[in-house]
Amino acid sequence: TLQAVSAKKGSPFMFGSTYDTYDSNASFMSNVFSTFFNHVVAENGCKWDATEPSRGTSDLTECKAVQSFASSHGASFRGHNTFWHAQTPSWLPGGISASDLVNNVIPQHVQQEIQGMGSSVSSWDVVNEVVGDGVSNGMSALQCVQNKKAWPTQTSDNSNTALVTDLSFIHSAFSTALKYAGSNTRLAINDYNTGAQDAKTACVFAVLADINANAGVPYNRLAVGFQSHVSSTGFASKAALVANFAKLANLGAAALITELDISIPSSSSGNERLQAAIWGDYLDACLYASNCHEFINWDSRDDMSWLGTSNAGTLFDSNGNPKPAAYEVAARLKRY
Ligand code: G3I
């Protein structure tokens, strides 16, 4: 089905989920990536703590292991992530100065990871979650980012003295990524609570425009990753997703669904059917957009979800059986 969808879209449609080599349910994971998904992202294996254990020492073992799992299952691979304030290695932030961060630490990490992982990467989350949660409409890109109360926007103790007083740390990451990524690899700014037509999404678009203007990255290399950790009581409408994807398409940028899970209050059939309807709408918004080619679900079964089993936020239940949402996405893919 995914091959038929790709043919219709005129480019590969990448529908996937997360994998780490230490994941449980090995036979389920091998089977689901051979029969249901065709795209893989490392849930943790390509993050800074896993890939640069000490400053300047590159260790891509786990990241490459996930990439080879993808290729051994006929799946493509995307990179998550080269910069995030969380899951940083123990030597960060360690009193690093802003200029050292911008001029040395970031370019070195981004280069060694992107160059080391090679060009068969559909997209990289170059920066993850750099926009604050207390933003408002009309904020500048700088205001949007300085609203983030996390290193490096704030010093490691989150004191008010912002460590970084401009967006050069983002420019450094993206200009380095542009230099070392494969020419077909999209470079994404990835964030949660985006997708609706609200202040946080407006901020992500403002930072995207800043990256284009000040890091010299053309829009046809850029992407916005809409993480989409949502719930049956809080999610972006299909209309909002369609409008936001179209806005990116007009710029030449790509839209990615990067971490979809949909928490439900309980696994009652009513909740599971609502979950399926929302899943279908997110998928349709991507399928029917000219610039959406990657759709990643975050964790593939409830007992493996970062949300915990009780939120029942994934496509397969804790016994590895498909839930209504799995049937819904299969039907929408067939119907496309
Ligand atoms: O690797 C250690 C292991 O050595 C140790 O024994 C174990 C127990 O302490 O912890 C292991 O590290 C855990 C890691 O996942 C790998 O399993 C961390 O404690 C745990 O916090 C970490 O959670 C991950 C979380 O990001 C960290 O923020 C989740 O698996 C992962 O799903 C989640 O993913 C993030 C995306 O990267 C970005 N968007 C939000 C999303 C959900 O938070």
Side-chain angles (χ1 to χ4, degrees), residues 91-333:
W91 54 274
L92 272 175
I96 287 200
S97 70
S99 60
D100 193 16
L101 179 72
V102 171
N103 300 316
N104 307 311
V105 172
I106 289 175
Q108 177 170 52
H109 177 65
V110 174
Q111 175 183 349
Q112 65 187 32
E113 182 162 20
I114 290 185
Q115 202 171 29
M117 288 306 295
S119 56
S120 327
V121 182
S122 59
S123 58
W124 273 103
D125 290 330
V126 176
V127 299
N128 188 54
E129 302 178 17
V130 293
V131 168
D133 291 313
V135 294
S136 41
N137 279 311
M139 276 189 167
S140 70
L142 180 58
Q143 288 169 324
C144 293
V145 171
Q146 287 195 315
N147 182 268
K148 186 76 179 182
K149 299 289 177 283
W151 179 83
T153 313
Q154 303 293 330
T155 47
S156 54
D157 63 358
N158 275 353
S159 65
N160 289 329
T161 331
L163 173 65
V164 181
T165 53
D166 58 27
L167 298 179
S168 54
F169 75 105
I170 296 176
H171 302 157
S172 171
F174 270 89
S175 55
T176 306
L178 181 66
K179 201 167 160 196
Y180 294 102
S183 53
N184 296 321
T185 300
R186 286 281 179 158
L187 307 175
I189 170 172
N190 189 47
D191 223 318
Y192 61 88
N193 287 355
T194 54
Q197 291 179 292
D198 57 11
K200 186 161 188 182
T201 302
C203 267
V204 168
F205 278 58
V207 177
L208 187 80
D210 177 83
I211 292 162
N212 170 256
N214 299 314
V217 185
Y219 276 116
N220 66 8
R221 295 297 307 278
L222 285 170
V224 170
F226 299 88
Q227 287 188 13
S228 308
H229 293 293
V230 298
S231 75
S232 54
T233 54
F235 53 89
S237 72
K238 185 172 172 177
L241 291 169
V242 167
N244 279 319
F245 294 179
K247 220 166 141 185
L248 291 170
N250 292 338
L251 294 169
L256 319 172
I257 297 289
T258 52
E259 305 183 18
L260 181 59
D261 42 36
I262 306 177
S263 298
I264 50 178
S266 77
S267 296
S268 71
S269 62
N271 287 328
E272 289 193 334
R273 299 189 67 74
L274 176 54
Q275 181 183 53
I278 300 165
W279 225 296
D281 281 354
Y282 268 77
L283 180 58
D284 271 356
C286 179
L287 274 176
Y288 289 91
S290 61
N291 60 331
C292 188
H293 309 289
E294 297 188 57
F295 191 99
I296 292 265
N297 306 282
W298 204 253
D299 296 320
S300 43
R301 45 187 277 179
D302 292 344
D303 58 329
M304 298 172 73
S305 171
W306 73 286
L307 294 166
T309 306
S310 59
N311 281 295
T314 70
L315 288 165
F316 292 81
D317 69 19
S318 294
N319 299 315
N321 299 316
K323 290 155 68 176
Y327 289 105
E328 186 61 34
V329 297
R332 301 272 181 128
L333 287 165

